[in-house]
């Protein structure tokens, strides 16, 4: 609702810790109240305009708790922000008129930065390694390739195993399935099949994934065995202490 239709400018009040916006109308008319929820979405990824940087005539104002105030002159919105010791932040600049919200922008930026750091910390970038085999691979080459697969799985990476068929080998897909099944069995203590063998043109592809989380595997790869000093038996700790 347009503030102009109400015959006055908005005033900010608090009731029980909740922000309430009232519009002054004609003498004797009851004050108008608004509690429609609007503007709870996230701020644009781009740096928004705040306070006196908002250079428009009017804005659709949203209260700090999501209350819809209505369309008000930007100067009235800035005054309300100053009264509440908050910032006026333009959250939807492309709207007509732009949507602005009252908030503590410094606190918002800090909390957003903390959430972004936590998200990056908890994010695990999955890396897929690839090993290529021939259906009639000799035993020595097979052991070498298997060693690579084991190393990748220990490092916490997924492994894409590709069987390459040539010429008449394409008429014997069972050779590829048999080889992939053998490899999956040989490394079953480190990983499991995430994508069953399937034909992809002249190739046959299977994906193996590690059993453990990447961080645990990297700890073991560094020689820590995945156990801290606190997890070792008490007798081993005493022996280690005597040896120093």
């Amino acid at each position: 609702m347009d503030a102009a239709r109400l015959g006055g400018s908005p005033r900010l009040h608090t009731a029980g810790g909740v922000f309430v916006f009232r519009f002054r109308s004609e003498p004797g008319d009851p004050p108008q109240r608004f509690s429609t929820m609007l503007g709870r979405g996230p701020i644009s990824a781009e740096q928004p305009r705040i306070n006196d940087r908002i250079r428009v005539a009017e804005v659709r104002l949203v209260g700090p708790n999501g209350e819809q105030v209505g369309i008000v002159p930007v100067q009235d919105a800035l005054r309300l922000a100053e009264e509440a010791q908050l910032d006026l932040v333009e959250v939807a600049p492309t709207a007509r008129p732009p949507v602005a919200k009252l908030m503590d922008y410094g606190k918002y930026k800090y909390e957003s930065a903390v959430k972004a750091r936590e998200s990056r910390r908890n994010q695990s970038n999955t890396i897929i390694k690839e090993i290529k085999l021939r259906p009639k691979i000799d035993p020595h080459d097979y052991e070498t390739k298997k060693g690579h697969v084991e190393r990748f799985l220990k490092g916490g990476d997924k492994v894409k195993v590709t069987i390459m068929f040539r010429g008449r080998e394409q008429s014997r897909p069972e050779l590829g399935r048999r080889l992939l099944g053998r490899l999956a069995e040989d490394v079953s203590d480190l990983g499991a099949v995430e994508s069953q063998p399937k034909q992809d043109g002249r190739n046959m592809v299977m994906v193996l994934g590690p059993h453990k989380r990447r961080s645990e595997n990297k700890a073991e790869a560094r020689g820590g065995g995945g156990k801290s000093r606190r997890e070792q038996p008490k007798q081993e700790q005493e022996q280690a202490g005597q040896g120093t």
Side-chain angles (χ1 to χ4, degrees):
M1 183 178 294
D2 196 321
R5 299 178 185 176
L6 298 174
S9 59
R11 290 287 184 265
L12 179 64
H13 303 269
T14 57
V18 177
F19 287 91
V20 178
F21 293 91
R22 300 178 186 271
F23 286 87
R24 289 184 177 178
S25 185
E26 295 297 328
D29 290 344
Q32 304 290 329
R33 296 171 60 111
F34 295 88
S35 60
T36 305
M37 308 308 288
L38 179 70
R40 288 189 176 275
I43 294 179
S44 172
E46 299 179 358
Q47 191 75 5
R49 296 188 297 182
I50 66 173
N51 300 327
D52 56 358
R53 295 182 181 178
I54 304 175
R55 303 186 182 278
V56 294
E58 59 185 13
V59 295
R60 184 177 296 276
L61 185 62
V62 180
N65 297 316
E67 307 92 337
Q68 178 182 354
V69 181
I71 299 175
V72 300
V74 69
Q75 294 302 323
D76 288 347
L78 289 170
R79 177 179 50 77
L80 289 173
E82 185 177 359
E83 290 178 359
Q85 295 184 345
L86 296 172
D87 297 300
L88 182 66
V89 182
E90 189 179 52
V91 297
T94 59
R96 292 292 179 268
V99 179
K101 185 174 182 180
L102 297 177
M103 67 172 68
D104 185 339
Y105 186 58
K107 180 179 178 181
Y108 172 82
K109 287 181 64 177
Y110 172 76
E111 292 176 349
S112 298
V114 171
K115 290 179 181 179
R117 286 196 300 268
E118 289 294 328
S119 177
R120 289 193 297 268
R121 185 180 305 157
N122 296 330
Q123 183 180 10
S124 58
N125 297 322
T126 302
I127 299 177
I128 299 181
K129 306 288 187 177
E130 183 173 14
I131 290 292
K132 296 183 178 181
L133 308 174
R134 292 294 308 282
K136 298 180 180 180
I137 187 171
D138 64 70
H140 175 74
D141 288 343
Y142 174 80
E143 291 298 325
T144 300
K145 298 287 188 178
K146 185 182 73 172
H148 293 325
V149 173
E150 291 174 338
R151 176 164 53 86
F152 295 148
L153 292 175
K154 286 180 181 179
D157 298 320
K158 295 184 179 183
V159 185
K160 176 183 177 182
V161 185
T162 302
I163 304 294
M164 301 180 298
F165 295 95
R166 294 181 182 175
R168 296 181 180 179
E169 292 175 347
Q170 299 180 54
S171 63
R172 302 287 304 277
E174 68 276 7
L175 296 178
R177 291 193 180 90
R178 190 180 307 151
L179 181 59
L180 292 175
R182 175 188 171 189
L183 179 61
E185 180 66 24
D186 289 345
V187 300
S188 59
D189 57 332
L190 297 174
V193 177
E194 290 192 356
S195 177
Q196 295 294 333
K198 62 181 179 180
Q199 198 76 27
D200 183 16
R202 295 184 177 182
N203 301 328
M204 183 174 290
V205 178
M206 176 182 71
V207 177
L208 297 169
H211 287 316
K212 298 181 181 180
R213 291 178 301 180
R214 185 169 188 171
S215 58
E216 295 175 352
N217 287 315
K218 284 189 173 182
E220 291 188 3
R222 288 195 297 265
K227 294 183 179 180
S228 65
R229 182 180 176 85
R230 185 178 301 176
E231 296 172 324
Q232 296 176 3
K234 184 177 180 181
Q235 184 177 0
E236 293 182 9
Q237 292 188 19
E238 292 177 352
Q239 292 176 355
Q242 294 174 0
T244 57

